[in-house]
């Protein structure tokens, strides 16, 4: 009976135990379901934290930090920046059981309740790192309901995030006094270095300051902070974080009482990148920080010299040609110089590009088969439907080769070439090359665009010249290390790009400053200068195989300075930058591409030689594209024995004539020779009794513009001038007003007439019957 009784008692005990276990399981399941319901109903999101944006160089060094939207220094430190010693120090001080509890430490709660009850006051806390993070994310007064809420939030954090994620977020949100939050912000502002470079003493200081940030922060109470730091350093002895010797050294380590400035390099680029939406608060740029610092110093020193001439600013962009990554970005001589508008970004400012667009025009002309480098063209005054460009030095050379015209940056040959190509084709090509202002306004632009009659930025111009270094292929510049490369576009053939490079490498040019004429250490680069109308901008852009450097000098307010030009103001800085980035001046240079060949041409015309061409030179050309017409710089003429009259085959006499060779000068060149009284070989006038109208070109009226309206002041007795250019051999021209003969004159003679109000048909005929007309309107004011 007794054994039976004991067996029943055990059965009842087992049943009660099972019931108890089941009850606990049910309570746990119920509590878990309640937690899931509350978690769903009241989600806890850590993504709302507004981090400070930080811009980094390509090597990971911070360039510039910015306040968060709520004006806090709250820089995000990545896992790789938090050292094991920093983690262990915080865990030992704040929550040594962090990796073992579920967000709330029950043992710590019981201990805190008992001790606080016995003492009658709060002497022990039970907050885990999870609970502290919950309070940092959702601050509230310390009341019992809020403490329960913290515990619930701590469990939520544990449910949704890993331990390492929770600890990392906690370290990034800890308060460090004033508007400083997070170990990275505190490390930079209190110690001037990143958290992964801190000494043991500095690490421990970061662990103690958050307990009373306003009282313990450096610069507030030195001795109080020193005492708190050393107290915890002593507690770390024997904990396996630091050796005893390291702790002894840390106890004697002083610290600065000042606050360090936040890094603020490459300010213009950093501000530009800050305003672009990014997935993370840490933005890694392509900037090479050592090079950036070098270029900033060079710009500052150079502008110090320019300011003696009232030229107050400069901007520089350095690009890696192979990757199109921007290695240095200097928007002004000094970001903080309010007196000189230093916060204006000269790299993005829209300015007149001057002559910097000419190389692309000549490359386009090479590809269209209009010219080759040695081809001879004219540099004389010209009228393009009312537009009369002048050269920079206000002089003309008469006959020049194409490579001389580009090397000397002559304006009239460039406009003449653009007139043949069409301004629309050129502006469309510039639009494809990333010129945004030109793209938006290309329908309004005319021939002046090649001389700077448009808007462009230093960024766009530098990218254009980088295309020449990349065999004519344009790619936009890149500022972000993780940024995918944008689509490429071919602006010119590799052969055209190579010819442009060879021309721009020459040193016989007016834009080489005088101090470099005898220099032996010039960087081996291709380069071009530009000066805008009114001397408001001075440009210099250069490139070699590896780098392209763009330089702008001037004043941001746009006022012109007589001494401002690209050669004297921008080129010295360009050369100094290339010396800094390519100190060894490597000899590897561009090789001729496969689509390019060379040939002998006549030095008088630049065309393939004929039998009478005795002086020949070597010239590059594009097979199948470049002009291949035989040279015709000399033309055979039939003349009488005294060489005073020429004949054609229609009026050739049976005898008394001979054959002579005469230069085939263009009419505009002859007109300029006559005006400047330059001697030249004249073709004898044609037989006046010739029964046929001769071929060739009619005289070109150069003094009036077809379709123009001329305003004449009433009562001033103003006159209009009649002038023309005619071919070699023309001795007389005849001027007609509304089909009535007005006057006969020499081709070089200037004729004047006093107009009346109304429409006029102006005609000019030469002594061979060739005629041209223009129509104008005269109004009195």
């Amino acid at each position: 009976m007794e054994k039976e009784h004991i067996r029943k008692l055990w059965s009842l005990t087992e049943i009660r135990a099972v019931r108890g276990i089941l009850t606990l399981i049910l309570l746990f399941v119920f509590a878990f379901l309640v937690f899931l319901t509350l978690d769903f109903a009241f989600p806890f999101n850590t993504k709302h934290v507004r981090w400070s944006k930080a811009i980094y160089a390509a090597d990971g060094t911070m360039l510039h930090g910015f306040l968060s939207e709520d004006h806090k220094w709250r820089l995000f430190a990545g896992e790789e920046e938090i050292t094991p010693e920093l983690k262990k120090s915080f865990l030992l001080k704040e929550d040594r059981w962090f990796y073992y509890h579920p967000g709330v430490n029950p043992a710590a709660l019981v201990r805190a309740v008992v001790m606080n009850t016995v003492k009658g006051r709060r002497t022990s806390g039970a907050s885990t790192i999870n609970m502290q993070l919950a309070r940092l994310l959702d601050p509230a007064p310390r009341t019992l309901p809020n403490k329960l809420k913290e515990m619930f939030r701590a469990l939520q954090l544990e449910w949704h995030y890993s331990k390492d994620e929770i600890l990392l977020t906690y370290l990034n949100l800890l308060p460090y006094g004033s508007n400083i939050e997070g170990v990275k912000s505190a490390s930079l502002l209190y110690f001037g270095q990143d958290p992964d470079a801190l000494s043991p003493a500095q690490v421990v200081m970061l662990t103690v300051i958050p307990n009373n940030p306003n009282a313990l922060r450096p610069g507030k109470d030195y001795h109080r902070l020193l005492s708190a730091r050393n107290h915890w350093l002593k507690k770390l002895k024997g904990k396996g974080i630091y050796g005893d010797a390291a702790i002894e050294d840390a106890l004697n380590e002083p610290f600065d009482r000042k606050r360090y400035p936040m890094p603020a390099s490459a300010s213009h680029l950093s501000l530009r990148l800050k305003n672009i939406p990014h997935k993370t608060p840490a933005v890694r740029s392509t900037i090479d920080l050592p090079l950036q610092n070098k270029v900033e110093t060079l710009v500052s020193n150079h502008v110090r010299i320019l300011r003696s001439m009232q030229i107050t600013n400069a901007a520089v962009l350095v690009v890696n040609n192979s990757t199109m990554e921007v290695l240095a970005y200097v928007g002004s001589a000094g970001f903080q110089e309010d007196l000189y508008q230093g916060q204006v970004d000269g790299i993005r400012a829209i300015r007149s590009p001057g002559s910097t667009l000419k190389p692309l025009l000549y490359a386009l002309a090479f590809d269209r088969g209009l010219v080759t480098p040695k081809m001879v063209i004219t540099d004389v005054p010209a009228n393009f439907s009312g537009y009369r460009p002048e050269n920079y030095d206000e002089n003309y050379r008469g006959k020049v080769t194409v490579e001389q015209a580009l090397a000397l940056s002559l304006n009239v040959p460039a406009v003449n070439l653009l007139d043949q190509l069409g301004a629309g084709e050129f502006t469309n090509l510039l639009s494809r090359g990333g010129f945004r202002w030109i793209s938006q306004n290309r329908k309004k632009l005319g021939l002046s665009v090649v001389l700077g009659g448009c808007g462009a930025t230093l960024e766009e111009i530098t990218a254009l010249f980088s295309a020449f270094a990349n065999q004519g292929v344009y790619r936009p510049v890149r500022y972000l290390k993780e940024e995918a490369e944008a689509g490429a576009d071919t602006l010119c053939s590799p052969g055209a790009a190579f010819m442009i490079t060879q021309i721009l490498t020459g040193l016989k040019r007016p834009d080489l400053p005088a101090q470099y004429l005898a220099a032996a250490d010039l960087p081996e680069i291709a380069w071009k200068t530009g000066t805008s109308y009114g001397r408001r901008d001075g440009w210099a852009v250069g490139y070699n195989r590896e780098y392209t450097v763009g330089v702008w000098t001037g004043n941001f307010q746009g006022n012109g300075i007589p001494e401002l030009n690209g050669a004297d103001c921008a080129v010295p800085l360009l050369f100094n930058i290339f010396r800094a980035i390519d100190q060894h001046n490597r000899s590897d240079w561009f090789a001729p591409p496969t689509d390019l060949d060379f040939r002998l041409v006549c030095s008088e015309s630049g065309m393939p030689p004929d039998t009478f061409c005795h002086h020949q030179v070597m010239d590059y050309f594009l097979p199948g594209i470049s002009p291949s017409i035989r040279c015709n710089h000399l033309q055979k003429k039939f003349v009488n024995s005294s060489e005073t009259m020429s004949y054609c085959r229609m009026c050739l006499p049976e005898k008394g004539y001979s054959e002579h060779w005469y230069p085939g000068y263009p009419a505009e060149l002859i007109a300029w020779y006559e005006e400047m009284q330059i001697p030249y070989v004249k073709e004898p006038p044609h037989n006046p009794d010739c029964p046929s109208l001769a071929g060739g070109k009619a005289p070109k009226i150069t003094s009036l513009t077809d379709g123009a309206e001329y305003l004449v002041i009433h009562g001033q007795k103003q006159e209009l001038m009649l002038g023309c250019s005619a071919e070699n051999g023309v001795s007389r021209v005849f001027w007609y007003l509304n089909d009535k003969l007005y006057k006969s004159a020499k081709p070089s003679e200037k004729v004047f007439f006093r107009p009346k109000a109304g429409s006029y048909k102006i005609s000019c005929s030469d002594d061979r019957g060739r005629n041209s007309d223009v129509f104008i309107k005269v109004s009195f004011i």
Side-chain angles (χ1 to χ4, degrees):
M1 292 294 293
E2 186 176 351
K3 290 182 178 180
E4 185 68 24
H5 180 67
I6 292 172
R7 189 181 300 112
K8 289 181 178 180
L9 288 176
W10 272 108
S11 299
L12 289 172
T13 302
E14 290 174 354
I15 291 171
R16 287 172 182 165
V18 171
R19 284 178 177 174
I21 292 172
L22 290 173
T23 302
L24 288 174
I25 292 174
L26 289 173
L27 287 173
F28 177 79
V29 171
F30 176 75
F32 183 66
L33 291 174
V34 170
F35 169 76
L36 290 179
T37 303
L38 292 174
D39 179 63
F40 178 78
F42 304 100
F44 193 31
N45 184 15
T46 63
K47 305 296 184 184
H48 70 279
V49 178
R50 291 177 286 184
W51 301 103
S52 297
K53 276 196 175 180
I55 313 300
Y56 294 87
D59 62 359
T61 306
M62 181 185 284
L63 291 175
H64 206 299
F66 294 94
L67 289 168
S68 65
E69 293 177 6
D70 54 347
H71 306 290
K72 301 279 189 182
W73 287 116
R74 192 185 294 118
L75 294 168
F76 184 84
E79 186 73 33
E80 70 283 354
E81 298 179 83
I82 306 299
T83 63
E85 293 79 10
L86 184 59
K87 285 183 180 180
K88 292 176 182 178
S89 298
F90 269 101
L91 292 176
L92 181 68
K93 181 176 181 298
E94 297 295 335
D95 191 355
R96 68 183 66 189
W97 304 106
F98 172 72
Y99 282 103
Y100 305 99
H101 61 65
V104 176
N105 190 340
L109 282 174
V110 173
R111 186 195 68 234
V113 170
V114 171
M115 291 187 66
N116 293 341
T117 302
V118 171
K119 298 290 185 179
R121 59 187 175 85
R122 186 179 183 277
T123 60
S124 176
S127 292
T128 62
I129 283 179
N130 294 51
M131 295 170 66
Q132 293 182 51
L133 177 56
R135 188 164 59 249
L136 291 172
L137 290 169
D138 188 13
R142 295 196 177 189
T143 62
L144 182 58
N146 287 334
K147 180 62 70 174
L148 294 174
K149 180 181 176 183
E150 280 178 21
M151 295 168 64
F152 170 68
R153 294 301 192 191
L155 295 172
Q156 283 185 295
L157 289 171
E158 196 76 19
W159 178 250
H160 291 284
Y161 303 97
S162 69
K163 285 290 189 182
D164 289 337
E165 289 175 324
I166 293 170
L167 180 58
L168 184 63
T169 307
Y170 169 74
L171 294 175
N172 278 309
L173 291 178
L174 282 169
Y176 281 94
S178 185
N179 64 338
I180 304 171
E181 293 184 7
V183 294
K184 181 159 188 171
S185 301
S187 298
L188 290 168
L189 292 170
Y190 290 151
F191 309 125
Q193 51 193 346
D194 291 317
D196 56 359
L198 298 178
S199 68
Q202 292 169 334
V203 167
V204 174
M205 285 177 67
L206 289 185
T207 66
V208 301
I209 294 174
N211 294 132
N212 193 350
N214 289 323
L216 292 177
R217 59 188 170 91
K220 183 71 173 179
D221 190 331
Y222 181 85
H223 296 289
R224 185 174 178 180
L225 177 57
L226 180 66
S227 175
R229 182 199 73 177
N230 290 348
H231 171 74
W232 277 100
L233 277 170
K234 292 173 183 177
K235 281 197 171 189
L236 290 180
K237 277 189 177 182
K239 301 298 183 181
I241 301 176
Y242 299 110
D244 291 347
I247 289 179
E248 287 300 323
D249 290 340
L251 288 169
N252 297 314
E253 181 180 313
F255 58 87
D256 291 328
R257 306 185 189 207
K258 66 178 182 178
R259 175 168 161 172
Y260 287 83
M262 187 62 71
S265 299
S267 297
H268 293 92
L269 175 63
S270 297
L271 191 63
R272 177 176 181 173
L273 296 180
K274 168 186 175 285
N275 294 326
I276 299 175
H278 297 281
K279 294 180 180 179
T280 63
V283 180
R284 190 178 177 197
S285 73
T286 59
I287 292 297
D288 181 333
L289 186 55
L291 178 58
Q292 174 76 21
N293 292 334
K294 281 183 183 178
V295 175
E296 285 182 357
T297 301
L298 289 171
V299 171
S300 178
N301 293 339
H302 185 69
V303 169
R304 193 176 296 117
I305 298 172
L306 294 182
R307 284 176 180 167
S308 63
M309 298 181 285
Q310 305 303 312
I311 302 167
T312 60
N313 247 307
V316 171
L317 191 69
V318 181
V319 176
N320 182 312
N321 291 330
S322 61
T323 64
M324 294 307 294
E325 292 180 347
V326 172
L327 304 180
Y329 188 112
V330 182
S332 70
F335 188 80
Q336 302 297 336
E337 294 181 332
D338 293 339
L339 180 62
Y340 302 114
Q341 299 83 41
Q343 295 185 18
V344 174
D345 189 348
I347 291 173
R348 292 199 289 172
I350 298 175
R351 315 286 298 193
S352 166
S355 296
T356 57
L357 304 182
K358 287 177 182 175
L360 183 62
L361 171 68
Y362 282 88
L364 180 61
F366 290 151
D367 280 335
R368 294 297 179 270
L370 293 183
V371 293
T372 59
K374 298 292 185 183
M375 185 177 291
V376 177
I377 56 178
T378 59
D379 174 34
V380 296
N383 181 358
F384 301 93
S385 300
Y387 178 47
R388 301 168 186 256
E390 295 181 344
N391 289 329
Y392 178 78
D393 59 3
E394 299 181 354
N395 292 318
Y396 301 92
R397 278 93 180 151
K399 294 198 303 180
V400 293
T401 64
V402 168
E403 63 182 5
Q404 287 174 334
L406 177 55
L408 299 175
S409 196
L410 301 178
N411 291 339
V412 177
V415 174
N416 192 16
L417 204 56
L418 181 58
D419 187 48
Q420 297 177 54
L421 286 166
E425 184 173 1
F426 184 55
T427 54
N428 287 337
L429 188 62
L430 287 168
S431 300
R432 287 167 45 200
F435 287 80
R436 291 178 289 275
W437 188 93
I438 293 176
S439 178
Q440 295 167 2
N441 299 275
R442 60 180 181 271
K443 293 183 179 179
K444 307 174 187 177
L445 299 176
L447 298 179
S448 64
V449 66
V450 73
L451 305 185
C454 58
T457 67
L458 180 59
E459 177 184 298
E460 295 165 346
I461 294 171
T462 306
L464 170 64
F465 279 77
S466 185
F468 293 130
N470 287 317
Q471 295 193 319
V473 177
Y474 163 79
R475 291 175 293 160
V477 297
R478 296 171 55 214
Y479 295 106
L480 299 176
K481 201 66 180 176
E482 312 304 328
E483 183 181 8
E485 287 196 22
D489 196 349
T490 300
L491 300 184
C492 65
S493 67
F498 179 82
M499 288 188 280
I500 293 297
T501 299
Q502 292 301 97
I503 293 172
L504 298 183
T505 307
L507 296 178
K508 294 182 178 180
R509 48 201 290 179
D511 55 357
L512 179 65
Q515 66 264 35
Y516 295 104
L517 292 176
D521 61 340
L522 290 179
E524 187 176 5
I525 59 173
W527 49 284
K528 180 74 181 75
T529 62
T531 304
S532 66
Y533 178 76
R535 295 179 181 261
R536 294 177 172 88
D537 309 274
W539 304 86
V541 191
Y543 61 93
N544 57 19
R545 288 186 68 90
E546 295 188 35
Y547 307 103
T548 298
V549 178
V551 176
W552 170 87
T553 55
N555 298 316
F556 285 135
Q557 61 265 40
N559 57 305
I561 301 295
E563 294 80 11
L564 177 58
N565 61 74
D568 296 323
C569 299
V571 168
L573 180 56
L574 177 73
F575 286 176
N576 289 337
I577 292 171
F578 266 104
R579 288 194 186 105
I581 64 178
D582 198 10
Q583 297 178 358
H584 303 292
N585 200 13
R586 282 161 281 203
S587 59
D588 52 329
W589 192 244
F590 302 91
T594 57
D595 67 332
L596 191 67
D597 206 343
F598 54 89
R599 64 187 180 186
L600 285 171
V601 296
C602 176
S603 62
E604 292 292 330
S605 65
M607 301 301 293
D610 207 331
T611 55
F612 50 76
C613 299
H614 304 297
H615 300 285
Q616 300 174 16
V617 294
M618 196 68 70
D619 189 19
Y620 284 110
F621 76 107
L622 298 172
I625 297 175
S626 297
S628 56
I629 302 174
R630 290 282 181 183
C631 174
N632 61 352
H633 82 277
L634 292 179
Q635 298 175 358
K636 185 187 294 185
K637 299 292 181 180
F638 299 108
V639 296
N640 60 12
S641 57
S642 60
E643 297 187 28
T644 57
M645 184 183 301
S646 63
Y647 306 101
C648 66
R649 294 193 179 277
M650 292 295 295
C651 62
L652 187 65
E654 294 183 0
K655 57 182 180 178
Y657 68 90
S658 60
E659 295 180 354
H660 284 267
W661 292 93
Y662 290 92
Y665 296 130
E668 62 271 15
L669 182 62
I670 293 173
W672 183 71
Y673 281 161
E674 291 284 351
E675 182 178 353
M676 302 302 295
Q677 298 183 359
I678 296 175
Y680 67 97
V681 178
K682 297 182 180 181
E683 178 185 330
H686 194 67
N687 178 13
D689 298 325
C690 180
S692 69
L693 290 175
K697 294 181 180 180
K700 182 180 179 182
I701 299 174
T702 58
S703 60
L704 299 173
T705 301
D706 189 27
E709 180 180 5
Y710 291 86
L711 301 179
V712 179
I713 300 176
H714 186 74
Q716 293 293 316
K717 297 182 179 180
Q718 291 178 295
E719 296 182 331
L720 295 182
M721 185 181 74
L722 302 176
C724 71
S725 59
E727 287 188 336
N728 199 354
V730 175
S731 59
R732 303 293 294 180
V733 294
F734 304 89
W735 292 99
Y736 294 84
L737 303 181
N738 291 331
D739 296 324
K740 293 183 179 180
L741 179 64
Y742 177 69
K743 191 172 184 180
S744 170
K746 294 181 179 180
S748 60
E749 184 180 345
K750 306 303 180 186
V751 177
F752 295 86
F753 76 99
R754 188 172 298 168
K756 297 179 180 179
S759 299
Y760 280 86
K761 174 186 176 184
I762 310 294
S763 303
C764 181
S765 299
D766 63 13
D767 52 13
R768 304 185 70 179
R770 296 170 296 194
N771 179 78
S772 62
D773 304 315
V774 298
F775 296 85
I776 65 170
K777 181 179 180 181
V778 177
S779 300
F780 283 91
I781 57 174

